[in-house]
């Protein structure tokens, strides 16, 4: 688990309640803003492809200035990107980015939606994207989002006309949004959806254009903007003490795994949207022109609007509870309207406002944040009425077995605590991100429960209904069960209440490389989800491998404790690879999943269940040199991977880079994006170049071509570009087949480029000094060859190597050819060493 502290300034402005964070105590100003939004019956859907694609400035403006209900539909969860704060990639990175999006929405006031599309990595054209995504399914999900959210206005982040000029996912998001604009109101399009939703026709569709669309501000200044709508998104909100762009930057800074922490901006600034489809505007700047966004929009809404507008006009900032009787009257009227969409949405908003105005505190806290089937859990229920209103707690209940009558009149500021017991049913499903329950494809998540499609996270199953009477009107407030606890060094903390299996297990190494036929021990960690666990464990394996013993007993006395077991792996004589995984047998049940906790301070604590398996590879590999210094960048598992093939790896910081320290190493490897993230390396480059000149090898992995923090990446001129090869099966040509790096100590062949995952590489240099020798060339379909993926230059007695090949993705996938090639890179110019010496840390 990894913990990172978000700056206090950002934390101060995190808004609303999250499943694993302390509930926000709303101020009178925030209640007033909620009433303003309650009185606006209009909605905006913003559409793009990934976490971080959304324009938080425009989302914040629509939500806080216009007061529209605003949502961001991200087609993917960002699984294919990089992680700057930890080692999680792929599915786990998607979980982090999902939560970062939700954190951003809590700041800018929006909501969050998704499709089932899986971010498989960079794509150069929508045709390529839609070969991997199931177009019909993703389009169906966009149509469903429109039918359920019912936006009056849709705004696309990207231009559908730029196919092949930008990320294929980006353009695809615009293409699908345009198609869905009409299909959402077509009864022949995805008719099964109409069993749980209804047709909807948005009024207008826009494209959120900007200077980057035209290559820069200078070019954009020359563009005719007469038909564009302009918003000054720098507007200041006195009730927040923040301007819109400050709010937007705070939201943007929630994307920490992408390195988007940023300074806040203030002052007047413009955003532009361009009309695409629907009913044209009649010369106004009001995107809701012709749409009644008042309570008159719904039958029976006029009386509700009269009450709520009066409250807004005469809001009592000193004592908001004075408005509760009128709010309750509006609540009763709202239950009678026949527009189910607005009734559901506005009831949710109105109940929250009543709760805030009354100063109600309602909490259901469990003694633990984890429980298993059939387990009995103690709950502490806290109820507090911080007003003079006559509020009665009628009863408490949940969906399973709690139903307790109370009939208690809640006195002003008197705390009521109740201890109750809840038994978890024996058929309770484990808590985990719903889109990871079933194995999907490269491009799509598999979601069997259609009711979950589009939701940002798995709905909380364990909730408590607090049934109260306010002015003799019954209102139910539903609160998720959480765990509230404290740590001496952290203070009060909150975690969501989760259901976990009675046992989970993992092999400590996700990739196990054996570079000879000698047996090796592996470690299996079994974690108990309950007390008094007994069973046995075996490890499944390919037929030509052996694992001993066949089974081992496991006995764990206490919930949450672990038992460590050692098994011996006996590889075959020949090269082979496959997967192994633990199976835990408890009674007549078998368990094969690993319980993963994701713990960062800026997002809620996450519990993820994934199939527990490790790639195992019997690999014929040779190497030269032994001691490797590793300079970490944006986060990867390259050091652990190099240790797997017999290297002694020591992670060093910029402060460790001295002539004396470097003299202990055969090679220095620079982690991915280190030159984008580690500013102090700028002062250490010459020492590293001198290390190479004295006989060492320096391997620099990919960096992005922008935000480079060093003056000179290499001892010779080297220009990074945005060139990349996204087809992991793209043909690889050997430009210098006789070069040492392709022949010694391992003979590299085309077979070594089979089984690569996600991509060949990215951000290849496109020009370099003649001292460099290009080794490989490759290209995506229809593109020119890219020869910059692996460049080798001799510098003095040693070698400097720059590579954009995606070793950081291939190593955790156990791609044997990637290991062999990297061993050759590290071995350049080295002599065979028969007796390796272990390096002391």
């Amino acid at each position: 688990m990894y913990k990172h502290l978000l700056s206090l300034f950002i934390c101060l402005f995190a808004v609303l309640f999250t499943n694993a964070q302390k509930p926000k105590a709303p101020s009178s100003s925030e209640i007033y803003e909620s009433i303003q939004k309650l009185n606006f019956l209009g909605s905006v859907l913003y559409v793009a492809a990934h976490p971080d694609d959304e324009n938080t400035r425009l989302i914040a403006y629509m939500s806080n200035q216009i007061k529209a209900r605003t949502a961001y539909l991200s087609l993917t969860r960002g699984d294919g990107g990089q992680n700057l704060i930890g080692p999680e990639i792929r599915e786990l990175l998607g979980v982090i980015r999902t939560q970062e999006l939700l954190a951003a929405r809590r700041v800018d006031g929006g909501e969050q939606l998704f499709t089932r599309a899986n971010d498989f990595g960079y794509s150069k054209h929508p045709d390529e994207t839609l070969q991997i995504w199931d177009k019909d399914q993703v389009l169906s999900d966009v149509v469903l989002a429109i039918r359920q959210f019912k936006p009056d206005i849709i705004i696309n982040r990207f231009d559908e006309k730029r196919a092949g000029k930008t990320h294929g996912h980006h353009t695809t998001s615009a293409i699908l949004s345009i198609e869905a604009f009409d299909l959402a109101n077509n009864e022949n399009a995805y008719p099964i959806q109409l069993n749980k939703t209804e047709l909807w026709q948005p009024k207008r569709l826009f494209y959120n254009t900007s200077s980057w669309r035209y290559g820069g501000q200078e070019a954009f200044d020359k563009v005719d903007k007469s038909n564009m709508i302009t918003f000054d998104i720098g507007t200041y909100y006195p009730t927040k003490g923040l301007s819109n762009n400050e709010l937007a930057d705070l939201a943007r800074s929630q994307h920490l795994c992408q390195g988007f922490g940023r300074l806040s901006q203030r002052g007047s600034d413009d955003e532009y949207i361009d009309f695409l489809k629907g009913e044209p505007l009649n010369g106004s700047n009001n995107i809701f022109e012709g749409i009644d966004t008042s309570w008159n929009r719904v039958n029976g809404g006029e009386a509700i609007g009269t009450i709520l507008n009066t409250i807004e006009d005469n809001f009592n900032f000193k004592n908001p509870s004075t408005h509760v009787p009128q709010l309750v009257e509006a609540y009763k009227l709202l239950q009678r309207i026949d527009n189910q969409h607005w009734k559901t949405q506005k009831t949710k908003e109105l109940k929250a406002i009543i709760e805030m105005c009354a100063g109600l505190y309602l909490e259901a806290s469990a003694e633990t944040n984890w429980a298993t089937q059939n387990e009995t859990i103690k709950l502490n229920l806290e109820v507090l009425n911080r007003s003079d209103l006559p509020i009665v707690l009628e009863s408490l209940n949940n969906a399973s077995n709690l139903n307790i009558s109370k009939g208690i009149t809640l006195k002003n500021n008197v705390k009521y605590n109740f201890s109750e017991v809840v038994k978890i049913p024996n058929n309770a499903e484990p808590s985990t991100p719903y889109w990871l329950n079933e194995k999907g494809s490269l491009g799509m998540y598999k979601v069997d429960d259609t009711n979950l499609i589009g939701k940002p996270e798995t709905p909380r199953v364990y909730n408590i209904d607090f049934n109260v009477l306010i002015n003799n009107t019954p209102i139910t407030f539903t609160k998720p069960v959480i765990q509230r606890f404290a740590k001496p060094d952290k203070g009060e903390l909150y975690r969501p209440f989760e259901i976990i299996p009675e046992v989970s297990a993992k092999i400590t190494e996700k990739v196990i490389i054996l570079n000879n036929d000698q047996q090796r021990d592996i470690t299996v960690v079994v974690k108990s989800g309950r007390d008094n666990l007994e069973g046995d464990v075996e490890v499944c394996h390919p037929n030509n491998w052996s694992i001993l013993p066949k089974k081992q007993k496991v006995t764990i006395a206490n919930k949450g404790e672990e038992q460590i077991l050692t098994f011996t792996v006996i590889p075959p004589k020949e090269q082979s690879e496959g997967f192994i995984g633990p199976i835990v047998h408890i009674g007549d049940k078998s368990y094969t999943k690993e319980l993963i906790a994701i713990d960062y301070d800026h997002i809620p604590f996450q519990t993820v269940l994934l199939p527990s398996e490790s790639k195992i590879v019997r690999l014929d590999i040779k190497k030269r040199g032994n001691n490797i210094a590793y300079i970490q960048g944006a986060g990867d598992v390259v050091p652990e991977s190099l240790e797997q093939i017999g290297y002694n790896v020591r992670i060093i910081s910029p402060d460790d880079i001295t002539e004396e320290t470097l003299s202990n190493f055969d090679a220095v490897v620079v982690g991915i994006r280190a030159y984008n993230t580690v500013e102090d390396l700028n002062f250490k480059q010459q020492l590293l170049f001198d290390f190479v000149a004295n006989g060492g090898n320096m391997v620099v992995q990919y960096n992005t071509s922008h935000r480079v923090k060093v003056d000179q990446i290499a001892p010779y001129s080297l220009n990074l570009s945005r060139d990349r090869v996204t087809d992991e099966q793209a043909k690889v040509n050997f430009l210098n087949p006789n070069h040492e790096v392709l022949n010694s100590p391992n003979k590299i062949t085309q077979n070594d480029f089979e089984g690569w995952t996600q991509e060949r590489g990215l951000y290849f240099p496109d020009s370099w000094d003649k001292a460099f020798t290009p080794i490989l060339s490759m290209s995506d379909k229809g593109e020119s060859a890219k020869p910059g993926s692996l460049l080798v230059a001799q510098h003095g007695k040693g070698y400097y190597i720059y590579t954009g090949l995606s070793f950081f993705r291939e190593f955790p996938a156990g791609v044997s050819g990637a290991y062999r090639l990297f061993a050759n890179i590290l071995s350049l110019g080295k002599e065979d060493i028969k007796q390796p010496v272990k390096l002391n840390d």
Side-chain angles (χ1 to χ4, degrees):
M1 294 187 292
Y2 297 80
K3 296 183 179 181
H4 298 261
L5 184 62
L6 190 60
S7 72
L8 177 62
F9 180 67
I10 293 177
C11 286
L12 287 173
F13 290 100
V15 218
L16 300 181
F17 178 79
T18 138
N19 285 330
Q21 293 170 333
K22 188 174 183 177
K24 179 73 166 61
S27 67
S28 290
S29 295
E30 289 166 328
I31 298 173
Y32 176 69
E33 289 173 347
S34 297
I35 293 172
Q36 289 181 306
K37 290 184 179 182
L38 180 66
N39 283 331
F40 190 93
L41 278 67
S43 51
V44 176
L45 182 66
Y46 197 88
V47 181
H50 309 106
D52 85 0
D53 284 345
E54 83 274 27
N55 185 345
T56 54
R57 306 196 319 172
L58 204 51
I59 291 174
Y61 184 89
M62 292 296 164
S63 177
N64 296 280
Q65 176 65 16
I66 303 296
K67 309 299 183 187
R69 184 187 179 206
T70 308
Y72 172 42
L73 173 61
S74 177
L75 266 57
T76 77
R77 296 176 186 267
D79 315 67
Q82 286 85 52
N83 183 358
L84 298 187
I85 61 174
E88 297 92 350
I89 58 174
R90 291 304 307 158
E91 294 92 347
L92 296 180
L93 179 58
V95 173
I96 292 173
R97 290 190 168 184
T98 294
Q99 291 300 321
E100 288 184 339
L101 277 172
L102 289 169
R105 300 294 79 78
R106 288 191 290 272
V107 174
D108 61 32
E111 300 175 36
Q112 187 61 53
L113 304 171
F114 290 97
T115 76
R116 287 170 288 174
N118 191 347
D119 179 6
F120 56 83
Y122 193 86
S123 167
K124 293 183 176 180
H125 197 281
D127 289 348
E128 176 192 8
T129 299
L130 293 173
Q131 286 177 353
I132 298 174
W133 288 353
D134 183 319
K135 178 183 177 181
D136 189 64
Q137 286 188 19
V138 182
L139 180 58
S140 164
D141 292 355
V142 178
V143 169
L144 180 64
I146 294 172
R147 286 173 173 173
Q148 290 181 333
F149 188 76
K150 292 183 168 44
D152 300 302
I153 307 298
I154 297 177
I155 303 176
N156 289 347
R157 178 57 161 165
F158 298 108
D159 184 354
E160 80 286 357
K161 296 187 289 293
R162 286 180 58 78
K165 298 178 182 178
T166 184
H167 198 324
H169 296 181
H170 292 173
T171 315
T172 300
S173 72
I175 292 170
L176 297 183
S177 175
I178 290 172
E179 288 189 39
F181 183 85
D182 293 324
L183 290 177
N185 199 36
N186 183 341
E187 63 182 9
N188 296 316
Y190 310 109
I192 294 178
Q193 293 180 3
L194 299 177
N195 293 331
K196 59 182 179 181
T197 185
E198 59 188 3
L199 300 175
W200 181 254
Q201 181 58 61
K203 193 80 164 181
R204 298 181 180 94
L205 174 66
F206 296 92
Y207 159 52
N208 180 199
T209 190
S210 65
S211 59
W212 52 258
R213 160 63 177 82
Y214 294 91
Q217 189 61 46
E218 184 177 348
F220 189 51
D221 289 340
K222 299 175 183 178
V223 173
D224 180 10
K225 303 181 184 64
S226 58
N227 291 322
M228 295 182 187
I229 297 176
T230 307
F231 304 101
D232 181 356
I233 51 78
T235 184
Y236 178 66
Y237 303 128
T239 55
K240 296 180 183 293
L242 290 169
S243 59
N244 186 81
N245 34 18
E246 287 178 291
L247 196 66
D249 287 334
L250 287 170
R252 189 76 167 166
S253 289
Q254 304 302 310
H255 295 298
L256 292 185
C257 75
Q258 302 181 72
F260 281 3
R262 63 200 300 168
L263 289 172
S264 296
Q265 304 296 313
R266 287 155 293 279
S268 180
D269 202 357
D270 289 333
E271 279 288 342
Y272 300 87
I273 61 173
D274 212 351
F275 177 78
L276 294 179
K277 291 190 76 171
E279 185 177 307
L281 293 172
N282 189 23
S284 78
N285 234 23
N286 176 16
I287 61 172
F288 285 94
E289 179 185 276
I291 303 170
D292 189 346
T293 58
S294 73
W295 278 100
N296 293 331
R297 181 170 190 168
V298 296
N299 291 331
E302 184 178 357
I304 300 170
T306 299
I307 295 172
L308 296 179
N309 286 313
T310 301
I311 294 173
E312 180 181 343
D313 293 340
N314 301 278
F315 187 71
N316 187 338
F317 286 88
K318 290 185 177 181
N319 186 8
S321 67
T322 61
H323 300 299
V324 170
Q326 291 76 31
L327 290 168
V328 170
E329 193 61 33
Y331 171 82
K332 291 191 292 185
L333 292 173
L334 181 56
Q335 305 319 300
R336 301 172 190 167
I337 70 170
D338 55 7
N339 187 310
Q340 193 60 46
H341 171 71
W342 285 115
K343 177 181 177 180
T344 301
Q345 177 59 28
K346 292 304 179 180
T347 294
K348 177 182 174 183
E349 295 178 30
L350 185 50
K351 284 170 60 174
I353 291 170
I354 292 171
E355 183 182 356
M356 289 187 286
C357 286
L360 274 175
Y361 186 88
L362 307 170
E363 180 183 271
S365 178
E367 60 183 348
T368 176
N369 71 306
W370 280 337
T372 59
Q373 294 175 349
N374 291 318
E375 185 174 356
T376 299
I377 297 299
K378 293 180 181 178
L379 295 181
N380 177 59
L381 307 175
E382 183 175 329
V383 181
L384 185 62
N385 169 23
R386 290 170 288 194
S387 74
D388 289 323
L389 294 165
I391 300 177
V392 177
L393 176 63
E394 286 281 273
S395 62
L396 300 164
N397 64 273
N398 68 0
S400 55
N401 50 26
L402 181 70
N403 192 355
I404 300 169
S405 297
K406 292 296 180 183
I408 298 172
T409 299
L410 303 177
K411 297 178 181 179
N412 187 354
N413 213 29
V414 174
K415 183 172 68 172
Y416 297 84
N417 285 101
F418 311 102
S419 293
E420 304 294 348
V421 173
V422 174
K423 185 175 182 180
I424 307 302
N426 60 11
N427 61 347
E429 293 292 330
S431 308
T432 193
Y434 70 85
W435 61 95
L436 300 179
N437 278 331
E438 301 289 337
K439 185 175 179 58
S441 64
L442 174 63
M444 297 298 300
Y445 282 119
K446 186 174 185 291
V447 181
D448 291 333
D449 186 349
T450 57
N451 292 315
L452 295 174
I453 292 174
K455 293 186 182 299
E457 55 186 345
T458 306
R460 292 288 152 192
V461 174
Y462 289 91
N463 304 289
I464 299 295
D465 290 336
F466 294 81
N467 304 304
V468 303
L469 284 178
I470 304 178
N471 276 18
N472 294 315
T473 300
I475 302 178
T476 297
F477 298 98
T478 301
K479 298 296 177 182
V481 176
I482 49 89
Q483 183 200 21
R484 178 165 64 96
F485 62 106
K487 288 185 177 182
D489 60 337
K490 292 287 188 180
E492 188 175 56
L493 297 172
Y494 286 73
R495 282 186 175 177
F497 178 72
E498 311 276 22
I499 304 302
I500 63 171
E502 61 178 331
V503 68
S504 59
K506 66 177 180 179
I507 297 172
T508 54
E509 297 169 290
K510 288 303 176 188
V511 176
I512 301 169
I513 305 291
L514 292 89
N515 57 2
N516 54 46
D517 60 0
Q518 298 300 305
Q519 65 185 35
R520 175 180 165 183
D521 288 344
I522 61 169
T523 300
V524 174
V525 179
V526 181
K527 184 170 184 174
S528 177
R530 63 171 174 84
D531 295 336
N532 303 316
L533 184 86
E534 291 186 2
D536 54 64
V537 182
E538 63 177 315
V539 178
C540 63
H541 55 84
N543 290 333
N544 57 338
W545 294 69
S546 297
I547 294 183
L548 298 174
K550 296 292 186 182
K551 288 187 178 182
Q552 294 192 57
K553 290 291 183 183
V554 60
T555 303
I556 303 176
N558 299 310
K559 172 182 177 179
E561 290 184 350
E562 296 178 342
Q563 184 172 338
I564 297 175
L565 305 173
T566 301
F567 289 82
T568 300
V569 176
I570 304 172
K573 296 293 184 182
E574 69 280 359
Q575 187 163 313
S576 175
E577 62 182 59
F579 291 92
I580 61 174
I583 304 174
V584 185
H585 302 282
I586 307 294
D588 60 353
K589 294 182 178 180
S590 298
Y591 298 89
T592 60
K593 290 194 174 182
E594 173 185 358
L595 182 68
I596 303 166
I598 300 177
D599 194 2
Y600 292 96
D601 284 351
H602 69 298
I603 60 173
F605 185 89
Q606 297 295 298
T607 300
V608 184
L609 278 171
L610 290 178
S612 182
E613 62 180 19
S614 295
K615 180 83 173 282
I616 191 161
V617 181
R618 159 69 172 94
L619 178 63
D620 289 322
I621 189 169
K622 303 179 181 67
K623 67 181 184 65
R624 300 190 184 117
N626 284 293
N627 297 329
I628 308 298
Y630 198 86
I631 302 170
Q632 289 184 309
D636 56 53
V637 294
V638 172
E640 299 92 322
S641 301
L642 296 179
E643 288 176 339
Q644 288 263 19
I645 56 174
Y647 283 104
N648 303 322
V649 183
R650 177 178 162 189
I651 295 174
I652 64 173
S653 69
D655 291 340
D656 297 324
I657 300 175
T658 64
E659 182 178 352
E660 180 180 359
T661 300
L662 294 177
S663 66
N664 295 310
F665 299 102
D666 300 300
V668 173
V669 180
V670 181
I672 61 171
R673 296 183 68 176
Y675 290 141
N676 301 130
T677 59
V678 186
E679 293 189 23
D680 288 349
L681 284 178
N682 195 36
F683 309 110
K684 301 293 183 174
Q685 284 294 84
Q686 191 55 53
L687 283 170
L688 292 169
F689 297 157
D690 291 343
F691 164 75
V692 178
N694 291 328
N697 288 348
M698 181 177 177
V699 184
V700 178
Q701 298 177 87
Y702 101 94
N703 289 268
T704 62
S705 56
H706 60 291
R707 299 177 184 169
V708 176
K709 298 183 182 298
V710 298
D711 298 328
Q712 190 176 1
I713 286 181
Y716 308 106
S717 63
L718 181 72
N719 183 65
L720 301 182
S721 74
R722 297 182 65 85
D723 287 349
R724 63 201 301 161
V725 175
T726 60
D727 181 0
E728 62 268 36
Q729 300 179 21
K731 183 180 179 182
V732 178
N733 300 304
F734 294 0
L735 298 178
N736 286 275
N738 296 323
H739 195 283
E740 180 182 356
V741 78
L742 293 178
N743 292 278
S744 180
N746 304 288
K747 178 67 175 178
I748 303 300
T749 70
Q750 289 294 332
N751 291 338
D752 290 299
F753 292 94
E754 293 180 0
W756 284 51
T757 181
Q758 187 157 326
E759 62 202 355
R760 289 295 190 197
L762 63 171
Y763 289 95
F764 299 160
D766 61 358
S767 63
W768 48 82
D769 188 272
K770 63 181 180 181
F772 283 102
T773 299
I775 305 300
L776 308 169
S777 80
M778 56 195 71
S779 66
D780 283 319
K781 184 179 179 180
E783 294 190 357
S784 60
K786 304 293 187 295
S789 62
L790 179 59
L791 302 172
V792 179
Q794 187 163 5
H795 180 60
K797 299 177 182 179
Y799 289 88
Y800 175 95
I801 302 97
Y802 188 93
T803 178
L805 293 171
S806 295
F807 290 105
F808 73 101
R809 293 199 189 280
E810 312 317 317
F811 286 170
V815 178
S816 58
Y819 281 91
R820 286 164 43 83
L821 178 57
F822 209 90
N824 280 15
I825 291 171
L826 293 172
S827 299
L828 279 169
K830 306 297 180 186
E831 297 180 356
D832 288 323
I833 299 177
K834 297 182 180 179
Q835 297 295 329
V837 178
K838 183 67 178 178
L839 184 68
N840 292 323
D841 291 336

